[in-house]
Amino acid sequence: MTKKTETAPKVRERQEAADEESRHNEGRDYEKMAMKVSRISIIANFVLTLIKLFTGVIAHSGAMISDAIHSASDVFSTVIVMIGIKISGKESDRDHPYGHERMECVAAIVLATILAATGLGIGYSAAGKIVKGEYAHLAVPGVLALAAAILSIVVKEGMYQYTKVYAKRIDSGALMADAWHHRSDALSSVGALAGIAGARMGFPILEPAASVVICLFIEKAAYEIFMDAVNKMVDKACDDEVEKALKACALAQQGVLGVDLLHTRVFGNKIYVDIEISVNGEMRLRDAHSIAEHVHNAIEQDFCKVKHIMVHVNPV
C-alpha cells in the first residue's frame, strides 16, 4: 500500500494557514501586553491625580494643583493609546487589505501634539510669572506638598521606565509616546518640587525657572515622537543594518545567485519587503518558484516584524 503524499499547492496552503495563525497570535499578544501596560498607567495616574489635588488644596500649593491637572491629562492620553492600539490590531478587511497598523501612528501623533501643548502650557505659564513678577506674591506651601512632589517624581519615573521597556519590546510608537508623557509628568513634578522648596526657602522664582527648562525637554521629546510616527506613515525604508540582514538571509538560501533589488518600507510597526533574486535561467519554473518560496519563508521566520514579502525571480 503506497503512502499518499500532499501536492505542492496543498503544502503551500497549509504553510500559509500556519503563517496566518502565527501572525494572528503575535498580534493578540502585542495587544494584550499593550493593554496591560495602559491599564496600569491609568490606575497610577488616577491615584496620583487625587493625591496631588488633595495635597495641593490642603498645603496651599498652586504648583501641586497644576501638577494634578497634568496627571489627569495623562489618563486621557493613555485612553487614546488604548484606542489606537485596539484599532491597529484589527484584522485586514476589504477596505483595508494591508491592515490597520498605521492607526497606532495616528495615536502617537495625537499624543505628541498633546505632549507639545502640555510643554508649551507649562513654559508659557512659567515665563509669564517671571516677566510679571507674580512669583513673589505666591503663598508659602506646606511640607505636605514637598512629600507629594517627591512621591510623584518616584512613581512617574518608575512608570516611564516600565512603559518604555514594554514599548521597545513590542515596538509601539504610541506606547513610547505615553512613556514620555509619564516622563514629562515626572519633570513637571521636579519643577513643582523646586518651586515648593524654593518658596519655603525664600526663592519663589525657582519654580517658574525650572518649569521653563522642563518645557524645553518636553518639546524635544514631543518632536522626536512626532517625527518617528510620521516616518512610519510615509513608507520610510528600514535601517541599512536591517536591509543588509535581509539581503544576507536571501543569499544564504540554496539556489539564490544574487539579489538584484531590495525595497523595504515601514508600515506602522511592521515591515513590507519587495525583493528580486537571481537564479539559474536554465532551471524549470517549478524549481525557481520553490527557491523563491524558501527565500520568502526564511525571511518571515528570521524577521518577526516582516508582515508581507514579494519575491520576484530573475533568470541568469
Side-chain angles (χ1 to χ4, degrees):
M1 184 174 181
T2 59
K3 184 178 178 181
K4 187 176 180 181
T5 58
E6 290 184 303
T7 62
K10 287 186 177 181
V11 172
R12 287 197 299 272
E13 185 177 330
R14 189 159 55 86
Q15 181 63 43
E16 288 173 359
D19 291 342
E20 182 64 28
E21 179 64 22
S22 176
R23 285 192 292 269
H24 180 67
N25 291 334
E26 180 185 331
R28 283 189 300 181
D29 292 341
Y30 171 90
E31 183 179 324
K32 184 178 179 181
M33 187 177 297
M35 290 300 174
K36 174 187 173 183
V37 175
S38 297
R39 282 193 293 268
I40 292 175
S41 295
I42 288 177
I43 294 172
N45 282 321
F46 183 73
V47 172
L48 269 180
T49 298
L50 294 179
I51 293 175
K52 290 179 182 180
L53 187 60
F54 176 78
T55 303
V57 172
I58 297 298
H60 306 289
S61 173
M64 188 52 58
I65 294 175
S66 298
D67 210 23
I69 296 173
H70 191 184
S71 292
S73 73
D74 280 358
V75 175
F76 172 71
S77 70
T78 303
V79 171
I80 294 177
V81 169
M82 295 177 76
I83 293 173
I85 290 175
K86 189 71 176 178
I87 296 176
S88 68
K90 290 174 61 178
E91 297 291 336
S92 303
D93 52 39
R94 182 178 179 183
D95 293 330
H96 305 89
Y98 293 100
H100 301 76
E101 280 87 0
R102 280 181 176 166
M103 288 306 299
E104 186 181 338
C105 297
V106 174
I109 289 174
V110 172
L111 281 179
T113 304
I114 294 174
L115 190 61
T118 300
L120 288 175
I122 292 172
Y124 180 80
S125 176
K129 289 178 182 179
I130 294 175
V131 172
K132 296 178 181 178
E134 292 180 359
Y135 54 86
H137 306 290
L138 295 175
V140 177
V143 178
L144 190 60
L146 282 174
I150 294 173
L151 174 65
S152 176
I153 293 169
V154 173
V155 173
K156 296 301 293 185
E157 181 62 22
M159 288 304 303
Y160 163 73
Q161 297 294 341
Y162 172 76
T163 307
K164 185 179 74 169
V165 167
Y166 281 96
K168 286 185 175 181
R169 183 176 298 178
I170 63 177
D171 191 27
S172 171
L175 210 58
M176 182 60 76
D178 202 34
W180 272 102
H181 218 132
H182 289 308
R183 169 59 68 84
S184 77
D185 206 3
L187 293 174
S188 175
S189 295
V190 170
L193 177 64
I196 293 167
R200 291 181 60 82
M201 293 186 296
F203 302 101
I205 193 176
L206 286 178
E207 177 184 9
S211 295
V212 170
V213 176
I214 290 168
C215 167
L216 299 177
F217 281 106
I218 294 175
E219 294 307 312
K220 180 177 180 294
Y223 173 77
E224 291 175 350
I225 292 168
F226 179 84
M227 291 308 300
D228 178 69
V230 168
N231 285 334
K232 288 180 178 178
M233 292 190 73
V234 297
D235 291 343
K236 183 178 182 295
C238 294
D239 295 336
D240 290 341
E241 291 76 13
V242 176
E243 291 199 344
K244 287 179 181 178
L246 287 167
K247 184 179 290 187
C249 180
L251 290 172
Q253 306 311 308
Q254 186 175 1
V256 177
L257 303 180
V259 174
D260 300 330
L261 179 144
L262 175 63
H263 285 167
T264 61
R265 57 191 176 98
V266 178
F267 190 94
N269 68 330
K270 298 296 183 180
I271 299 173
Y272 282 67
V273 179
D274 294 312
I275 186 170
E276 293 186 7
I277 59 173
S278 300
V279 301
N280 186 351
E282 301 301 321
M283 69 172 49
R284 297 184 305 167
L285 175 60
R286 187 182 301 276
D287 295 333
H289 179 73
S290 178
I291 293 173
E293 280 193 326
H294 286 149
V295 172
H296 177 282
N297 295 336
I299 290 177
E300 270 200 344
Q301 182 177 351
D302 293 350
F303 300 85
C304 61
K305 289 184 182 180
V306 172
K307 181 178 180 180
H308 176 77
I309 313 165
M310 179 63 71
V311 183
H312 178 79
V313 177
N314 294 327
V316 176

